[in-house]
Amino acid sequence: MKHDLGKRSIAISDRNTSMSIEPAFGEIVERLRMTKPEPMSLINEQRTSSNLSSQVRVFVLESI
């Protein structure tokens, strides 16, 4: 099964960056933005990996 990765531009603590992530994960992050203040900043603070996309996936899975 092939998944298309989408390139997303995001701001983390007023710094712009981009990442490649599956649309389903991106949609959940957008929903989380409505309930948690600055989810991308939280993800960045808790990051244990240099790979932001992987850390976003872990954050999403832990949030559901």
Side-chain angles (χ1 to χ4, degrees):
M1 184 195 278
K2 184 181 180 204
H3 295 283
D4 292 325
L5 296 178
K7 197 77 153 169
R8 291 193 172 253
S9 296
I10 56 169
I12 300 175
S13 301
D14 296 328
R15 290 186 64 201
N16 292 328
T17 189
S18 62
M19 65 179 178
S20 297
I21 195 162
E22 295 81 2
F25 281 102
E27 290 171 18
I28 293 172
V29 169
E30 290 302 317
R31 281 191 248 149
L32 289 172
R33 292 178 87 172
M34 294 178 203
T35 60
K36 295 183 180 200
E38 298 294 327
M40 295 309 297
S41 294
L42 290 170
I43 292 168
N44 195 45
E45 289 170 12
Q46 298 171 356
R47 188 162 33 166
T48 58
S49 166
S50 62
N51 187 316
L52 179 60
S53 299
S54 294
Q55 195 66 36
V56 167
R57 290 180 189 98
V58 169
F59 181 82
V60 167
L61 290 172
E62 290 175 344
S63 297
I64 57 174

